[in-house]
Amino acid sequence: MTSEIRNDLSPPALSPEERRLCRIAAWRLIPLLGLAYFFNYLDRTSVGYAALQMRDQLGLTAFQFGLGAGIMFFGYCLCEVPSNLAMYRYGARVWLARIMISWGIVATLMAVVVGPWSFYTLRLLLGIAEAGFFPGVIFYLSLWFPPQFRTRVLAWFTIATPVSFLVGGPLSTSLLQMHGLAGLAGWQWMFVIEGLPAIVLGLFTLRWLADRPENAHWMSDAEKHTYRKMLATEAGHNDKSHHFRAVLRDPRVWLLSAITFSYTSGTYGIGIWLPQMLKSQGIELGLIGWLAAIPYFFSTLGLIFWARAVDRGGRAGVHLIAALLLAATALMVSLYLTSLVPALIGITVALVGTISAKTIFFTLPGTFLRGQAAAGGIALINSIGAFGGFAGPFMMGIAREMTNSFTAGMMLMGGVILFAAGLALVLLLFMRQRESQLATAQ
């Protein structure tokens, strides 16, 4: 039995004082981190709106755009684990600030793209710059919040994903209307205005974050003592014994990686191409952002609902399977809906499932990984999964170019999400078997 495995017994209820301290910490940390994640997601996905102008202006084919949109995940995946291990060594405050500043600079420089190769290069650099942010925050929050409070905290952090699309669509298409101002194209203004906030947030992070509760200047000594006691049984006292190499031998890590790769492929395949799907229906440029925001409005509500359900009833594995099955079914049904409104409803339900699945999913690694193994393991899972951010848009681009329609690509995205649901079932059965073996051994 390795030291990375623990019995998944229900933790004791938090005392009123402990819950109060958790709420204070959440209000201190989540607004900043959630806002940063909003711009993180916006800076990587707004390229879908930029394509409404830049593809024609730069002469990018569907294949070249799909490759460029997805290639950032090569750099992201390559640097994800080293970045998170560096954060474990140097601390979240400094390392998360470094990530924000560097990705903000690269996102702003996207305005100087002049052709396919500069597009590929800057998208690759964007992935390298932002590598480690999401898994770094997930690991960081595990240092601050006990499991009894963690699902809702993760929900309020990851809610930035649908909100970035909800706000980002209308924002991005509005910025495209600045076309010609000061001699710049609308898509260039969009990249500059949406990239700069990450730099400002990175500088603010250096002054605001505390690496661990014991470093929080806004807590009294008595509060720090209560906080340390609350986290003691969850965090353990010997993190250095939990090494990253143990992650590579754990089949649960590889199952989790395959699951997130599959549903991420579907999510990004739909999200990146949705503006162009709407454009192909003859929707005016000014309306595309608002229509594309509709699925993400309901995804935001669905995410909150599902997080509360998991918090109240547990059974995260069952909820994960249900969310993925909902997404796959809705996407498949939407293929048979020929008019715009019913098809958009199908896509909306599909995104409710995939985005809710993401929040539920990232509560699972923390149930059996600790210390360096948690920092590196979460990054490994996320980096493999993030490669789906390349695979999804790229496959959609190929299918679009081969068939001159989005039907084949949407069918493919539905299939990979259904495959993720099957893998989630395998994971659930495997983890229950491991828990049973652990209980017997004890």
Side-chain angles (χ1 to χ4, degrees), residues 219-237:
M219 280 189 185
S220 67
D221 290 341
E223 289 173 332
K224 290 178 183 179
H225 175 74
T226 301
Y227 221 102
R228 283 196 301 270
K229 185 178 178 182
M230 173 180 62
L231 295 172
T233 55
E234 165 70 11
H237 297 286

Side-chain angles (χ1 to χ4, degrees), residues 39-40 42-46 99-113 122-123 125-127 129-130 187-199:
F39 282 105
N40 176 254
L42 182 64
D43 287 338
R44 70 165 67 166
T45 59
S46 61
I99 293 173
M100 293 178 202
I101 293 169
S102 59
W103 105 52
I105 292 172
V106 177
T108 303
L109 288 175
M110 284 290 297
V112 303
V113 167
L122 283 171
R123 288 289 291 180
L125 290 176
L126 181 63
E130 71 168 60
W187 61 268
Q188 291 175 307
W189 279 113
M190 188 202 76
F191 282 130
V192 170
I193 293 173
E194 293 179 354
L196 289 175
I199 302 173

Side-chain angles (χ1 to χ4, degrees), residues 153-170:
V153 168
L154 289 179
W156 285 110
F157 169 65
T158 57
I159 204 172
T161 300
V163 170
S164 71
F165 281 102
L166 177 64
V167 177

Side-chain angles (χ1 to χ4, degrees), residues 58-193:
L58 302 181
L60 298 176
T61 67
F63 174 85
Q64 289 171 332
F65 173 73
L67 176 60
I71 203 170
M72 70 156 273
F73 292 97
F74 276 104
Y76 186 91
C77 297
L78 182 67
C79 298
E80 185 89 322
V81 173
S83 180
N84 230 37
L85 293 177
M87 193 196 79
Y88 181 76
R89 178 176 180 180
Y90 297 113
R93 182 180 64 86
V94 170
W95 200 252
L96 290 177
R98 192 283 303 164
I99 293 173
M100 293 178 202
I101 293 169
S102 59
W103 105 52
I105 292 172
V106 177
T108 303
L109 288 175
M110 284 290 297
V112 303
V113 167
V114 294
W117 288 105
S118 57
F119 182 47
Y120 301 156
T121 300
L122 283 171
R123 288 289 291 180
L124 181 67
L125 290 176
L126 181 63
I128 293 171
E130 71 168 60
F133 178 75
F134 178 77
V137 173
I138 296 299
F139 173 68
Y140 177 66
L141 294 178
S142 74
L143 301 177
W144 274 88
F145 297 100
Q148 304 94 314
F149 210 83
R150 197 171 296 159
T151 305
R152 73 194 72 180
V153 168
L154 289 179
W156 285 110
F157 169 65
T158 57
I159 204 172
T161 300
V163 170
S164 71
F165 281 102
L166 177 64
V167 177
L171 173 63
S172 296
T173 51
S174 297
L175 294 175
L176 292 179
Q177 307 300 320
M178 297 175 67
H179 190 76
L181 182 64
L184 296 179
W187 61 268
Q188 291 175 307
W189 279 113
M190 188 202 76
F191 282 130
V192 170
I193 293 173

Side-chain angles (χ1 to χ4, degrees), residues 368-389:
F368 62 93
L369 296 174
R370 293 291 178 272
Q372 188 191 68
I378 292 171
L380 176 63
I381 292 166
N382 191 63
S383 65
I384 294 173
F387 189 69

